Amino acid sequence: MLAARKASHWPKAYFPMFETAAPHIFALPPGADFPAELVAGLRERMAGKPPEAMGRVMLYLNTSRMRRRVEEAFRASAPGFLPKLLLVSDLARDPRLFLPAATSPLRRRLELTTLIAALLDRQPDVAPRAALYDLADSLATLMDEMQGEGVSPEVVAGLDVSNHSQHWARTQAFLKILTPLFAGSGDKEALQRLAVTRLSAIWQAAPPQDPVLIAGSTGSRGTTALFMQVVARLPQGALVLPGYDFDTPLPVWNAMDDSLTAEDHPQFRFRRLMDLIGFDAGAVRRWRDVQPPDPNRNKLISL
C-alpha cells in the first residue's frame, strides 16, 4: 500500500525490471538449482536492455558460497556484465552509512568474563567458578541473538515466568550484566541492525532507480527479515525466496498464524515473512517457470 501511494513521487528507473507496484515476491521450488535458476531469471528479465543494465543491478545474497555459485553461473553463460554481488551479512560495511568499527568478539567476551566474575564474587551460589568462560560464551551468544532480533534486556526482564521464579531470578542477574553493554553497542549484530535502519532512511528519501534484489534468504534472522521488508517495498525491489512450496494448500498457510504451534513447519518462515511485509501465499510468483527434478515427489513430501 505504501509503495502504491508513493510510486508517482519516485523517479523513474534507468532500466526498470518491474512495472507493477511493490511488493515483488518471487520464489523457486524445493529441489531447483537455485543459483543457476536465479541467474537465468535475471538474464531473462534484463533481455533487450543495454549490456550495462545488468551491472547496475544490486543483488544481495545470503552466503559467500551462494555468491560464488551465482558468479560461476554468470561466467558459465553468455558473456556480459555481472550485477553487483553483495552479501546481506556485509551491510554494516557500506561506507555510505558511516558506522563505527565493530567491537572485537574477543574483547566482548573478556568484558563479559570480568562482569560475570564480579557477579560470582557477590553471589557465589549462582554458578561454579569453573563455568566462568562458558557463561561468557553463552551470554555473548544470547547478546548476539537479542541484538539481531531487536530485543533489549528490559523486554526480556519483563517476561512473565512466575512458574520458574527461582531459575528466573538467576537469569535476571545475568541479564543485568548485559544492560550497560547494549547502550551504543558496537557488536556485529547491533551494527547490522543499525545499518538496515540507516539504509532504509536513505532509500526512503531517495529510492534506488536500479533493481535491488535479495535472493536465497528466508528471513529467519530478525535483522535479515527487517532488511527484506525494506527491499520488498522499493519500487524496483524484489525478493527471490528459496525452497518455497507452491504445493502447500491455502488452509495450511492460514493455519500457520500461531508461532507456538507452527514454528516447526518447514514453510513457517515464509508465512512469518508474509505477515511482516503484508502479502499472502497467492502473491508469491514463480521466478521462472521451472519444475523441480521430481514434481510428484515434491507434492508427496508437501502432503
Side-chain angles (χ1 to χ4, degrees):
M1 292 297 292
L2 178 64
R5 286 197 302 268
K6 292 187 176 180
S8 60
H9 302 293
W10 282 329
K12 294 188 68 174
Y14 292 118
F15 307 110
M17 185 179 293
F18 311 108
E19 301 293 344
T20 58
H24 308 110
I25 316 293
F26 301 91
L28 286 164
D33 186 341
F34 189 86
E37 299 298 343
L38 173 67
V39 170
L42 269 174
R43 288 199 178 278
E44 289 172 356
R45 283 170 170 76
M46 302 304 286
K49 294 180 172 60
E52 66 271 20
M54 183 67 80
R56 300 181 68 97
V57 175
M58 287 188 287
L59 178 57
Y60 287 91
L61 300 165
N62 56 328
T63 64
S64 297
R65 181 173 181 270
M66 179 68 76
R67 180 170 63 179
R68 185 172 62 252
R69 290 198 59 198
V70 167
E71 186 172 348
E72 290 171 353
F74 266 107
R75 297 189 186 283
S77 56
F81 287 93
L82 287 175
K84 299 170 185 175
L85 300 178
L86 309 165
L87 290 179
V88 172
S89 57
D90 287 345
L91 283 174
R93 297 182 181 180
D94 191 327
R96 296 173 297 171
L97 306 180
F98 301 102
L99 297 175
T103 300
S104 162
L106 176 59
R107 175 179 177 177
R108 181 62 76 213
R109 276 163 172 75
L110 291 175
E111 290 174 342
L112 288 170
T113 300
T114 302
L115 292 171
I116 295 171
L119 174 65
L120 296 183
D121 287 340
R122 298 191 303 271
Q123 304 178 42
D125 61 325
V126 169
R129 195 82 182 180
L132 183 61
Y133 298 105
D134 288 338
L135 290 172
D137 281 339
S138 296
L139 270 183
T141 301
L142 174 62
M143 190 171 177
D144 282 345
E145 293 178 358
M146 292 170 64
Q147 290 171 335
E149 297 297 328
V151 177
S152 67
E154 292 79 10
V155 171
V156 178
L159 295 175
D160 181 10
V161 287
S162 54
N163 294 334
H164 307 278
S165 55
Q166 183 176 1
H167 174 72
W168 187 240
R170 294 183 176 184
T171 302
Q172 285 183 314
F174 281 110
L175 287 177
K176 288 179 180 177
I177 291 175
L178 296 180
T179 302
L181 299 180
F182 265 73
S185 172
D187 294 288
K188 180 181 178 181
E189 289 297 329
L191 292 179
Q192 185 81 349
R193 199 168 187 88
L194 180 59
V196 173
T197 302
R198 291 190 180 180
L199 197 56
S200 174
I202 292 173
W203 283 349
Q204 189 172 9
Q209 298 183 19
D210 301 306
V212 181
L213 288 78
I214 301 178
S217 292
T218 62
S220 59
R221 299 181 69 89
T223 301
T224 303
L226 183 62
F227 184 48
M228 294 173 82
Q229 294 175 62
V230 172
V231 170
R233 294 187 176 104
L234 293 175
Q236 289 298 312
L239 310 179
V240 186
L241 307 176
Y244 183 86
D245 185 6
F246 288 95
D247 296 316
T248 300
L250 189 59
V252 176
W253 284 116
N254 294 337
M256 283 191 256
D257 56 350
D258 185 358
S259 60
L260 293 177
T261 59
E263 191 164 6
D264 289 338
H265 194 286
Q267 299 288 302
F268 171 76
R269 291 299 174 188
F270 297 133
R271 168 57 201 266
R272 179 173 176 268
L273 198 61
M274 293 176 191
D275 293 340
L276 291 173
I277 297 176
F279 71 102
D280 54 42
V284 180
R285 291 173 285 169
R286 292 182 180 270
W287 177 245
R288 293 193 75 216
D289 188 16
V290 61
Q291 294 295 324
D294 191 338
N296 290 330
R297 180 180 60 187
N298 276 32
K299 290 179 181 178
L300 176 60
I301 294 174
S302 176
L303 180 63

